[in-house]
Structures are given as structure tokens and as C-alpha cells.
């Protein structure tokens, strides 16, 4: 029995069991694959969490892509499992849900592939609470519309370049919702963040399950 068999909900382990490998010492391994067949691996154990930078994607779904109505994306598979630990109700309709981890740095190509592969799905993001996660929310929303913008952190302000417009927002106010209002776009993406102020669902899980 691994460390995670004692910590993660059984429903979470049951859903994801065939999408991961349990290696030595109970270490969980998640394989990312790109369109050329190249692979990278995320490792998660009690004392270790390594997430690759990759063009590949780790995917977990148990139905047909056309059936999927809700697609959750994150930087790491571990973060996805931790989200599901606290929101296991999403797993009740397992044929209608899919999860995708993009690695440390998301890309347009990854989002382009997912939008076509799960063409009927509403996108949910599980990116971090911090600035990087909120920029990732915005980037995902834009890439799904074949658009892009630049984001630059300067002290407590975010400088944004979108089309021919430039905006400045404070870090405190910056979010996908606020960006959409200022830029005049509507993505339909739903963002999920830990309620207690933790940086990520992974951090919250680790802090509360030592």
C-alpha cells in the first residue's frame, strides 16, 4: 500500500488508477505524450514532486472524447488528483469528464489539440492562485480563441498587451474575469482556486495531509 492509498479518496484512486503507474516506494508516475510519440514523466511521492517542461500532455478520461462535457486542465497531474480529492463529486459522471496536465509551461499547441480532441467540452482551469497561474488562465482563454497577449510583471502591477491595446492592472485585482472585462472578451472558461488561499490544490493537500 502506497502513501497515497492512505491519503487520497478511494474514488479518486479508482478513477485515475489506469492513467498512472505506481513505481518504487509508492512513487506515482504520470506519462506525458506528444504527437511525435515522445514521452516525459511527472513523479510524485511523499517527499518528491517533479513536473516536466514538455510539449506533451498527460490525459485521463474514461469515455469517448465526443462524450466529454467538462475538461479540466492544470500544470500537473498531482494537482488534478488533489483537486478531485476535495471535489470528488465531479467524478460521478466519469464518461463526461476529462483531465489534462500540460507540464510546467503550457503552450498554444497543447490547447489547440485539446480544443479539437474534446470539441464538446467546457474548459475548467486548475492553475495556481499566484500570478503565474492567473496568467495561465488568461493564456488558455486566449489560445482557445486563437488569440494571444503579453503579460509583464512590474512590481505590484501587471502590464498587458492585447491586440493594439495596453492595460495595467494591480496584482491584487488581476484575474481572468477582470482581464475579460477590460479586454472585452468572453471565453466561457471556469477557473477553480483553493478557497483557503493556498497557492494550489496540491499545496493545500500536502499541507493538510503530512
Amino acid at each position: 500500500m502506497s502513501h497515497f492509498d492512505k491519503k487520497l479518496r478511494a474514488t479518486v484512486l479508482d478513477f485515475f488508477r489506469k492513467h498512472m503507474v505506481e513505481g518504487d516506494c509508492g512513487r506515482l508516475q504520470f506519462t506525458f505524450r506528444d504527437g511525435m510519440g515522445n514521452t516525459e514523466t511527472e513523479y510524485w511521492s511523499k517527499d518528491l514532486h517533479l513536473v516536466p517542461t514538455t510539449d506533451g500532455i498527460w490525459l485521463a478520461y474514461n469515455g469517448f472524447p465526443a462524450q466529454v462535457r467538462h475538461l479540466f486542465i492544470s500544470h500537473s497531474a498531482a494537482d488534478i488528483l488533489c483537486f478531485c480529492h476535495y471535489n470528488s463529486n465531479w467524478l460521478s459522471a466519469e464518461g463526461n469528464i476529462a483531465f489534462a496536465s500540460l507540464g510546467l509551461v503550457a503552450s498554444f499547441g497543447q490547447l489547440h489539440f485539446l480544443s479539437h480532441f474534446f470539441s464538446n467540452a467546457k474548459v475548467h482551469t486548475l492553475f495556481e492562485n499566484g500570478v503565474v497561474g492567473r496568467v495561465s488562465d488568461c493564456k488558455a482563454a486566449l489560445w482557445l480563441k486563437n488569440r494571444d497577449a503579453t503579460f509583464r510583471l512590474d512590481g505590484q502591477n501587471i502590464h498587458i498587451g492585447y491586440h493594439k491595446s495596453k492595460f495595467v492592472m494591480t496584482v491584487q485585482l488581476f484575474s481572468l474575469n477582470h482581464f475579460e472585462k477590460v479586454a472585452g472578451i468572453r471565453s466561457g472558461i471556469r477557473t477553480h482556486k483553493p478557497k483557503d488561499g493556498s497557492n494550489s490544490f496540491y499545496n493545500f493537500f500536502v499541507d493538510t495531509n503530512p
Side-chain angles (χ1 to χ4, degrees):
M1 178 179 290
S2 75
H3 170 73
F4 299 102
D5 287 309
K6 302 175 183 178
K7 301 295 183 179
L8 287 167
R9 289 181 184 272
T11 51
V12 176
L13 291 170
D14 289 344
F15 183 94
F16 290 103
R17 187 80 69 181
K18 64 183 179 182
H19 305 292
M20 60 188 185
V21 173
E22 186 174 327
D24 296 339
C25 303
R27 179 183 300 166
L28 300 184
Q29 300 173 194
F30 309 90
T31 301
F32 294 66
R33 291 184 172 83
D34 66 18
M36 302 298 292
N38 301 310
T39 63
E40 296 283 351
T41 304
E42 175 181 341
Y43 298 95
W44 184 24
S45 66
K46 181 179 180 181
D47 303 311
L48 176 73
H49 186 217
L50 297 176
V51 182
T53 299
T54 174
D55 292 328
I57 302 172
W58 172 79
L59 282 176
Y61 62 99
N62 293 333
F64 297 101
Q67 288 180 287
V68 172
R69 294 294 180 267
H70 297 280
L71 169 65
F72 289 77
I73 61 176
S74 180
H75 285 304
S76 81
D79 212 35
I80 288 171
L81 268 66
C82 293
F83 167 79
C84 290
H85 176 78
Y86 297 107
N87 300 273
S88 57
N89 56 298
W90 281 104
L91 302 178
S92 59
E94 64 175 70
N96 294 335
I97 193 167
F99 300 91
S101 177
L102 310 178
L104 285 177
V105 182
S107 70
F108 170 82
Q110 291 170 319
L111 270 296
H112 182 74
F113 168 79
L114 291 171
S115 67
H116 286 80
F117 194 66
F118 299 109
S119 57
N120 298 317
K122 176 182 178 66
V123 174
H124 302 248
T125 63
L126 306 178
F127 298 126
E128 299 87 348
N129 240 335
V131 173
V132 172
R134 285 177 276 166
V135 168
S136 297
D137 290 330
C138 296
K139 284 284 193 176
L142 290 165
W143 287 335
L144 289 170
K145 291 181 172 293
N146 291 313
R147 302 176 187 176
D148 205 351
T150 60
F151 299 84
R152 180 173 61 86
L153 178 63
D154 180 16
Q156 292 302 307
N157 292 317
I158 303 288
H159 294 258
I160 303 169
Y162 175 62
H163 281 185
K164 297 180 180 180
S165 301
K166 294 183 179 181
F167 315 104
V168 179
M169 300 181 194
T170 65
V171 169
Q172 184 177 5
L173 288 177
F174 176 57
S175 67
L176 173 59
N177 181 59
H178 195 57
F179 169 69
E180 287 183 333
K181 289 179 180 178
V182 172
I185 63 174
R186 186 173 182 178
S187 67
I189 283 180
R190 179 179 174 186
T191 62
H192 300 259
K193 308 293 183 186
K195 302 297 185 185
D196 77 320
S198 293
N199 189 51
S200 67
F201 291 101
Y202 167 80
N203 290 136
F204 180 68
F205 178 83
V206 170
D207 290 344
T208 55
N209 293 274

